[in-house]
Amino acid sequence: MLFFQIFRYRPHINYKYIKYILLIFLLLDPSFIVSDTSPELVMPGQSESAKLFILDASGSMNEYLGIYQKVHLAKKYVRHFVEKLPEETEVGFIAYGNRLPGCQSSRLYQPLEKGNRPGFQNKLFGLTPSGATPLAESIRIAGDYIIRRKTPTDLILVTDGIESCYGNPEKELQVLQQKGVNFKMYILGLGLKPDEKRIMQSLAKTGNGKFYNVGEDSDFFLAIEDLLKQEPLSKRTELEPEKQKSKIRISEIEKKQTDSEEHFYRVKFVFENSDSDNQCVILNLKRKNSSPPKTQNWNPQRTSEPERVLRTEQICFQARKGEGEFQISAPAHLPLNLELELWDTQGIPNSVDRSGERNLTK
């Protein structure tokens, strides 16, 4: 108050002294500019990001897409995506439906948090499809949540249908943009009809994101991998050592005995997957390919060119690592290869690695 009184009654004061006084105040109390304790503020140089899923848990998610229920595919690949993100990435999800009838079923089930992967997964796997598809309401709830946080956020919508509650999702996105919310919207559409695809493509375009059409298991995997590529290079390179470490390996192939009709083999292997206590190893006996191998254009953690598989066998374990063996017979006159897959069977079965092909009959 003294400062302003002097300023008022002494109009000929030297302004140079005012600048010096202000400078002293700023040096003595940096919080005059900014408080570094505010959780909402992202300081320059910080590379924070957030992924907020909007998950369809309406009744139609109980239907099948190929051999899997849509809800199981969604849970499987959302978990896969989250596990591949760096620990400092904030993740959370909103869901609609989930045993709640009517058009006001959207809820924030998992707030955006760093590192709470087990909590995220438990709530994700607890979703039970039932109810309608209030997309507009979900976008509005997501926007009201992230606008308070002032952190760039990717909204990732996983759905098998369009708005069914008379809302306008595109208008809700435009409202968020007018409010200055920093977001992009990506959409994974499960088994959508042609007119539904067009609506979702337009919605993703409005949200400055991308639409992915998911018609089967492999489409979902490729969509998630493409989303991971949107991450900054520095974050993606942190994951490379994990990718290079094989989780399933053939240690030895021993020919036990032969006759004119069949050969008998012992195939030994070792496995290690620290993410689960329940594993299954699957052996794929395959015709040898005389032509150059095709590019793996689906899930790289599954066996390549599955159309060549003649027979499969499996052994399951309740352990994170171990070893085992298959004893198999094969026709003597056929040139054959084999390949092993490792599956995490804790929760929804999920392939996590493959051994690569080995020549069996050489």
Side-chain angles (χ1 to χ4, degrees):
M1 178 62 90
L2 178 61
F3 170 74
F4 291 105
Q5 289 175 344
I6 294 173
F7 181 77
R8 180 178 178 183
Y9 294 108
R10 297 185 61 186
H12 300 294
I13 191 168
N14 190 329
Y15 290 100
K16 180 172 68 174
Y17 296 118
I18 295 177
K19 290 191 289 185
Y20 289 154
I21 293 171
L22 287 173
L23 179 61
I24 291 171
F25 285 160
L26 297 179
L27 291 174
L28 290 176
D29 188 7
S31 64
F32 184 81
I33 302 176
V34 64
S35 171
D36 59 1
T37 61
S38 172
E40 306 293 339
L41 192 62
V42 179
M43 297 296 291
Q46 289 182 330
S47 57
E48 295 198 6
S49 63
K51 311 292 179 188
L52 183 63
F53 289 89
I54 302 176
L55 301 178
D56 188 339
S58 64
S60 59
M61 289 291 284
N62 278 319
E63 298 171 0
Y64 281 79
L65 191 65
I67 62 173
Y68 297 102
Q69 281 184 299
K70 295 172 185 176
V71 65
H72 288 168
L73 280 177
K75 291 176 180 179
K76 169 182 171 181
Y77 284 114
V78 168
R79 180 181 72 169
H80 171 76
F81 179 83
V82 170
E83 286 176 346
K84 293 293 183 181
L85 292 172
E87 282 294 314
E88 67 267 21
T89 303
E90 295 178 308
V91 294
F93 75 86
I94 288 169
Y96 54 84
N98 190 35
R99 299 185 294 270
L100 298 175
C103 290
Q104 295 182 327
S105 59
S106 299
R107 301 286 188 277
L108 176 65
Y109 286 92
Q110 174 61 50
L112 287 166
E113 292 180 341
K114 298 178 182 179
N116 187 16
R117 302 300 194 252
F120 181 99
Q121 182 172 313
N122 288 339
K123 292 175 182 176
L124 171 68
F125 278 54
L127 294 178
T128 301
S130 178
T133 306
L135 291 184
E137 180 196 49
S138 300
I139 293 171
R140 183 167 58 254
I141 289 173
D144 290 343
Y145 176 57
I146 65 177
I147 197 172
R148 301 193 303 268
R149 306 183 73 259
K150 302 178 183 178
T151 302
T153 304
D154 289 339
L155 301 178
I156 304 172
L157 171 63
V158 181
T159 182
D160 73 336
I162 59 175
E163 174 73 36
S164 69
C165 290
Y166 308 103
N168 189 334
E170 194 152 348
K171 182 179 178 181
E172 295 297 338
L173 290 181
Q174 292 168 349
V175 168
L176 296 183
Q177 291 166 342
Q178 291 166 3
K179 291 180 178 179
V181 181
N182 191 349
F183 76 97
K184 291 183 179 180
M185 185 160 202
Y186 299 91
I187 301 175
L188 292 87
L190 282 61
L192 299 182
K193 299 174 183 177
D195 56 333
E196 295 174 331
K197 290 178 191 176
R198 286 191 290 271
I199 291 172
M200 288 305 186
Q201 286 168 341
S202 175
L203 192 61
K205 185 176 181 181
T206 299
N208 297 314
K210 187 174 180 180
F211 170 76
Y212 298 91
N213 183 48
V214 177
E216 59 183 2
D217 187 348
S218 59
D219 293 336
F220 215 142
F221 177 86
L222 293 174
I224 290 297
E225 289 298 300
D226 190 71
L227 276 174
L228 287 168
K229 291 176 185 176
Q230 312 297 324
E231 293 299 292
L233 182 61
S234 60
K235 289 187 176 183
R236 284 190 277 127
T237 52
E238 293 175 5
L239 301 176
E240 292 304 315
E242 180 184 346
K243 289 182 180 179
Q244 293 171 0
K245 184 179 179 181
S246 176
K247 296 181 178 180
I248 179 70
R249 181 171 58 86
I250 299 172
S251 56
E252 183 182 356
I253 298 177
E254 176 188 349
K255 185 181 289 187
K256 294 177 60 179
Q257 65 185 74
T258 64
D259 60 33
S260 59
E261 297 296 328
E262 286 188 306
H263 293 170
F264 297 86
Y265 302 90
R266 176 180 292 165
V267 181
K268 298 181 180 180
F269 60 86
V270 294
F271 70 91
E272 181 174 359
N273 176 23
S274 59
D275 297 327
S276 174
D277 294 315
N278 294 281
Q279 331 278 342
C280 283
V281 178
I282 297 178
L283 180 146
N284 296 294
L285 189 63
K286 309 170 71 174
R287 291 192 307 271
K288 190 173 181 181
N289 193 359
S290 56
S291 59
K294 299 177 183 177
T295 303
Q296 181 85 345
N297 59 0
W298 69 316
N299 188 338
Q301 294 167 340
R302 297 293 310 277
T303 188
S304 58
E305 300 180 84
E307 66 275 9
R308 294 194 287 117
V309 175
L310 299 174
R311 189 171 82 238
T312 64
E313 297 187 17
Q314 74 173 32
I315 303 175
C316 295
F317 301 84
Q318 290 186 327
R320 297 195 172 194
K321 62 179 180 179
E323 58 185 33
E325 67 175 50
F326 290 96
Q327 297 190 31
I328 62 171
S329 62
H333 63 282
L334 284 181
L336 297 171
N337 287 1
L338 63 81
E339 188 169 34
L340 303 183
E341 297 178 37
L342 182 64
W343 282 69
D344 174 359
T345 56
Q346 187 167 295
I348 298 172
N350 179 39
S351 59
V352 294
D353 204 1
R354 62 191 181 104
S355 65
E357 286 191 35
R358 291 276 296 271
N359 191 323
L360 184 66
T361 53
K362 181 170 64 174

